[in-house]
PDB file of all heavy atoms in Angstrom:
ATOM      1  N   LEU A 745     -10.124   0.230  21.336  1.00  0.00           N
ATOM      2  CA  LEU A 745      -9.526  -0.273  20.106  1.00  0.00           C
ATOM      3  C   LEU A 745      -8.012  -0.144  20.182  1.00  0.00           C
ATOM      4  O   LEU A 745      -7.483   0.934  20.440  1.00  0.00           O
ATOM      5  CB  LEU A 745     -10.057   0.526  18.915  1.00  0.00           C
ATOM      6  CG  LEU A 745      -9.556   0.146  17.550  1.00  0.00           C
ATOM      7  CD1 LEU A 745     -10.029  -1.276  17.192  1.00  0.00           C
ATOM      8  CD2 LEU A 745     -10.047   1.120  16.497  1.00  0.00           C
ATOM      9  N   ASN A 753       5.479   0.521   3.676  1.00  0.00           N
ATOM     10  CA  ASN A 753       5.891  -0.583   2.786  1.00  0.00           C
ATOM     11  C   ASN A 753       5.040  -1.825   3.002  1.00  0.00           C
ATOM     12  O   ASN A 753       4.691  -2.521   2.048  1.00  0.00           O
ATOM     13  CB  ASN A 753       7.367  -0.925   2.976  1.00  0.00           C
ATOM     14  CG  ASN A 753       8.282   0.100   2.333  1.00  0.00           C
ATOM     15  OD1 ASN A 753       7.875   0.833   1.435  1.00  0.00           O
ATOM     16  ND2 ASN A 753       9.511   0.160   2.801  1.00  0.00           N
ATOM     17  N   TYR A 755       1.952  -1.847   4.100  1.00  0.00           N
ATOM     18  CA  TYR A 755       0.641  -1.530   3.532  1.00  0.00           C
ATOM     19  C   TYR A 755       0.652  -1.713   2.015  1.00  0.00           C
ATOM     20  O   TYR A 755      -0.246  -2.332   1.447  1.00  0.00           O
ATOM     21  CB  TYR A 755       0.251  -0.088   3.900  1.00  0.00           C
ATOM     22  CG  TYR A 755      -1.077   0.319   3.317  1.00  0.00           C
ATOM     23  CD1 TYR A 755      -2.261  -0.043   3.927  1.00  0.00           C
ATOM     24  CD2 TYR A 755      -1.142   1.049   2.135  1.00  0.00           C
ATOM     25  CE1 TYR A 755      -3.483   0.319   3.390  1.00  0.00           C
ATOM     26  CE2 TYR A 755      -2.347   1.417   1.591  1.00  0.00           C
ATOM     27  CZ  TYR A 755      -3.521   1.047   2.220  1.00  0.00           C
ATOM     28  OH  TYR A 755      -4.725   1.409   1.668  1.00  0.00           O
ATOM     29  N   ALA A 760      -0.862  -4.753  -2.846  1.00  0.00           N
ATOM     30  CA  ALA A 760      -0.469  -5.395  -4.107  1.00  0.00           C
ATOM     31  C   ALA A 760      -1.301  -6.646  -4.350  1.00  0.00           C
ATOM     32  O   ALA A 760      -1.432  -7.094  -5.491  1.00  0.00           O
ATOM     33  CB  ALA A 760       1.015  -5.742  -4.096  1.00  0.00           C
ATOM     34  N   TYR A 762      -4.449  -6.762  -3.851  1.00  0.00           N
ATOM     35  CA  TYR A 762      -5.791  -6.250  -4.154  1.00  0.00           C
ATOM     36  C   TYR A 762      -5.872  -5.967  -5.655  1.00  0.00           C
ATOM     37  O   TYR A 762      -5.158  -5.100  -6.165  1.00  0.00           O
ATOM     38  CB  TYR A 762      -6.008  -4.962  -3.349  1.00  0.00           C
ATOM     39  CG  TYR A 762      -7.356  -4.330  -3.490  1.00  0.00           C
ATOM     40  CD1 TYR A 762      -8.412  -4.730  -2.693  1.00  0.00           C
ATOM     41  CD2 TYR A 762      -7.565  -3.297  -4.396  1.00  0.00           C
ATOM     42  CE1 TYR A 762      -9.650  -4.130  -2.806  1.00  0.00           C
ATOM     43  CE2 TYR A 762      -8.799  -2.689  -4.517  1.00  0.00           C
ATOM     44  CZ  TYR A 762      -9.838  -3.108  -3.704  1.00  0.00           C
ATOM     45  OH  TYR A 762     -11.061  -2.507  -3.823  1.00  0.00           O
ATOM     46  N   HIS A 765      -9.092  -2.519 -11.212  1.00  0.00           N
ATOM     47  CA  HIS A 765      -9.316  -2.262 -12.631  1.00  0.00           C
ATOM     48  C   HIS A 765      -8.472  -1.054 -13.020  1.00  0.00           C
ATOM     49  O   HIS A 765      -8.464  -0.052 -12.318  1.00  0.00           O
ATOM     50  CB  HIS A 765     -10.790  -1.981 -12.882  1.00  0.00           C
ATOM     51  CG  HIS A 765     -11.173  -2.181 -14.308  1.00  0.00           C
ATOM     52  ND1 HIS A 765     -12.388  -2.678 -14.671  1.00  0.00           N
ATOM     53  CD2 HIS A 765     -10.509  -1.982 -15.464  1.00  0.00           C
ATOM     54  CE1 HIS A 765     -12.451  -2.757 -15.995  1.00  0.00           C
ATOM     55  NE2 HIS A 765     -11.314  -2.332 -16.483  1.00  0.00           N
ATOM     56  N   ALA A 784      -7.225   3.259  -8.114  1.00  0.00           N
ATOM     57  CA  ALA A 784      -8.036   3.693  -6.979  1.00  0.00           C
ATOM     58  C   ALA A 784      -9.180   4.560  -7.483  1.00  0.00           C
ATOM     59  O   ALA A 784      -9.116   5.787  -7.471  1.00  0.00           O
ATOM     60  CB  ALA A 784      -7.181   4.439  -5.965  1.00  0.00           C
ATOM     61  N   ALA A 785     -10.225   3.897  -7.972  1.00  0.00           N
ATOM     62  CA  ALA A 785     -11.418   4.575  -8.471  1.00  0.00           C
ATOM     63  C   ALA A 785     -12.597   3.628  -8.286  1.00  0.00           C
ATOM     64  O   ALA A 785     -12.439   2.409  -8.392  1.00  0.00           O
ATOM     65  CB  ALA A 785     -11.263   4.938  -9.946  1.00  0.00           C
ATOM     66  N   VAL A 788     -19.671   5.571  -6.507  1.00  0.00           N
ATOM     67  CA  VAL A 788     -20.184   6.053  -5.232  1.00  0.00           C
ATOM     68  C   VAL A 788     -21.697   5.882  -5.198  1.00  0.00           C
ATOM     69  O   VAL A 788     -22.264   5.445  -4.205  1.00  0.00           O
ATOM     70  CB  VAL A 788     -19.800   7.530  -5.004  1.00  0.00           C
ATOM     71  CG1 VAL A 788     -20.456   8.089  -3.755  1.00  0.00           C
ATOM     72  CG2 VAL A 788     -18.281   7.687  -4.940  1.00  0.00           C
ATOM     73  N   ASN A 800      -2.552  11.211  -6.545  1.00  0.00           N
ATOM     74  CA  ASN A 800      -1.439  11.577  -5.686  1.00  0.00           C
ATOM     75  C   ASN A 800      -1.294  13.098  -5.683  1.00  0.00           C
ATOM     76  O   ASN A 800      -0.991  13.701  -6.701  1.00  0.00           O
ATOM     77  CB  ASN A 800      -0.163  10.909  -6.193  1.00  0.00           C
ATOM     78  CG  ASN A 800       1.017  11.131  -5.286  1.00  0.00           C
ATOM     79  OD1 ASN A 800       1.078  12.118  -4.553  1.00  0.00           O
ATOM     80  ND2 ASN A 800       1.961  10.222  -5.340  1.00  0.00           N
ATOM     81  N   ARG A 807      -2.700  18.933  -9.794  1.00  0.00           N
ATOM     82  CA  ARG A 807      -3.541  20.055  -9.363  1.00  0.00           C
ATOM     83  C   ARG A 807      -4.493  20.493 -10.478  1.00  0.00           C
ATOM     84  O   ARG A 807      -5.567  21.017 -10.214  1.00  0.00           O
ATOM     85  CB  ARG A 807      -2.645  21.228  -8.925  1.00  0.00           C
ATOM     86  CG  ARG A 807      -3.402  22.427  -8.462  1.00  0.00           C
ATOM     87  CD  ARG A 807      -4.083  22.167  -7.148  1.00  0.00           C
ATOM     88  NE  ARG A 807      -5.138  23.172  -6.947  1.00  0.00           N
ATOM     89  CZ  ARG A 807      -6.002  23.148  -5.975  1.00  0.00           C
ATOM     90  NH1 ARG A 807      -5.952  22.203  -5.080  1.00  0.00           N
ATOM     91  NH2 ARG A 807      -6.910  24.077  -5.870  1.00  0.00           N
ATOM     92  N   ALA A 816     -12.368  12.862 -16.700  1.00  0.00           N
ATOM     93  CA  ALA A 816     -12.966  11.667 -17.291  1.00  0.00           C
ATOM     94  C   ALA A 816     -12.218  10.460 -16.752  1.00  0.00           C
ATOM     95  O   ALA A 816     -10.996  10.507 -16.572  1.00  0.00           O
ATOM     96  CB  ALA A 816     -12.881  11.701 -18.815  1.00  0.00           C
ATOM     97  N   LEU A 820      -9.939   0.748 -19.021  1.00  0.00           N
ATOM     98  CA  LEU A 820      -9.125   0.099 -20.047  1.00  0.00           C
ATOM     99  C   LEU A 820      -9.409  -1.402 -20.189  1.00  0.00           C
ATOM    100  O   LEU A 820      -9.808  -2.058 -19.235  1.00  0.00           O
ATOM    101  CB  LEU A 820      -7.642   0.302 -19.734  1.00  0.00           C
ATOM    102  CG  LEU A 820      -7.173   1.748 -19.618  1.00  0.00           C
ATOM    103  CD1 LEU A 820      -5.672   1.800 -19.377  1.00  0.00           C
ATOM    104  CD2 LEU A 820      -7.561   2.573 -20.835  1.00  0.00           C
ATOM    105  N   ASP A 860     -11.898   4.331 -27.633  1.00  0.00           N
ATOM    106  CA  ASP A 860     -12.140   2.886 -27.617  1.00  0.00           C
ATOM    107  C   ASP A 860     -12.021   2.284 -26.210  1.00  0.00           C
ATOM    108  O   ASP A 860     -11.764   1.092 -26.049  1.00  0.00           O
ATOM    109  CB  ASP A 860     -11.211   2.164 -28.593  1.00  0.00           C
ATOM    110  CG  ASP A 860      -9.739   2.349 -28.282  1.00  0.00           C
ATOM    111  OD1 ASP A 860      -9.392   3.254 -27.490  1.00  0.00           O
ATOM    112  OD2 ASP A 860      -8.915   1.596 -28.837  1.00  0.00           O
ATOM    113  N   LYS A 873     -10.958  16.334  -1.821  1.00  0.00           N
ATOM    114  CA  LYS A 873     -10.536  16.402  -0.423  1.00  0.00           C
ATOM    115  C   LYS A 873      -9.192  15.712  -0.254  1.00  0.00           C
ATOM    116  O   LYS A 873      -9.043  14.548  -0.625  1.00  0.00           O
ATOM    117  CB  LYS A 873     -11.580  15.712   0.446  1.00  0.00           C
ATOM    118  CG  LYS A 873     -11.231  15.683   1.897  1.00  0.00           C
ATOM    119  CD  LYS A 873     -12.306  15.002   2.704  1.00  0.00           C
ATOM    120  CE  LYS A 873     -11.825  14.902   4.135  1.00  0.00           C
ATOM    121  NZ  LYS A 873     -12.806  15.205   5.096  1.00  0.00           N
ATOM    122  N   VAL A 880      -8.792  12.833  -2.870  1.00  0.00           N
ATOM    123  CA  VAL A 880      -9.979  12.063  -3.238  1.00  0.00           C
ATOM    124  C   VAL A 880     -10.892  13.020  -4.002  1.00  0.00           C
ATOM    125  O   VAL A 880     -11.338  14.035  -3.459  1.00  0.00           O
ATOM    126  CB  VAL A 880     -10.699  11.491  -2.000  1.00  0.00           C
ATOM    127  CG1 VAL A 880     -11.964  10.743  -2.416  1.00  0.00           C
ATOM    128  CG2 VAL A 880      -9.761  10.580  -1.215  1.00  0.00           C
ATOM    129  N   ALA A 896     -10.959  -7.257 -19.345  1.00  0.00           N
ATOM    130  CA  ALA A 896     -10.603  -6.114 -18.509  1.00  0.00           C
ATOM    131  C   ALA A 896      -9.108  -6.127 -18.196  1.00  0.00           C
ATOM    132  O   ALA A 896      -8.503  -7.191 -18.047  1.00  0.00           O
ATOM    133  CB  ALA A 896     -11.397  -6.159 -17.210  1.00  0.00           C
ATOM    134  N   LEU A 898      -6.474  -5.491 -15.439  1.00  0.00           N
ATOM    135  CA  LEU A 898      -6.375  -5.406 -13.987  1.00  0.00           C
ATOM    136  C   LEU A 898      -4.923  -5.249 -13.576  1.00  0.00           C
ATOM    137  O   LEU A 898      -4.010  -5.599 -14.337  1.00  0.00           O
ATOM    138  CB  LEU A 898      -6.932  -6.676 -13.335  1.00  0.00           C
ATOM    139  CG  LEU A 898      -8.360  -7.055 -13.659  1.00  0.00           C
ATOM    140  CD1 LEU A 898      -8.719  -8.366 -12.994  1.00  0.00           C
ATOM    141  CD2 LEU A 898      -9.316  -5.965 -13.224  1.00  0.00           C
TER     142      LEU A 898
END
Side-chain angles (χ1 to χ4, degrees):
L745 180 65
N753 285 339
Y755 179 81
Y762 183 86
H765 200 145
V788 174
N800 185 334
R807 180 70 198 173
L820 302 183
D860 60 345
K873 178 179 175 137
V880 178
L898 303 177

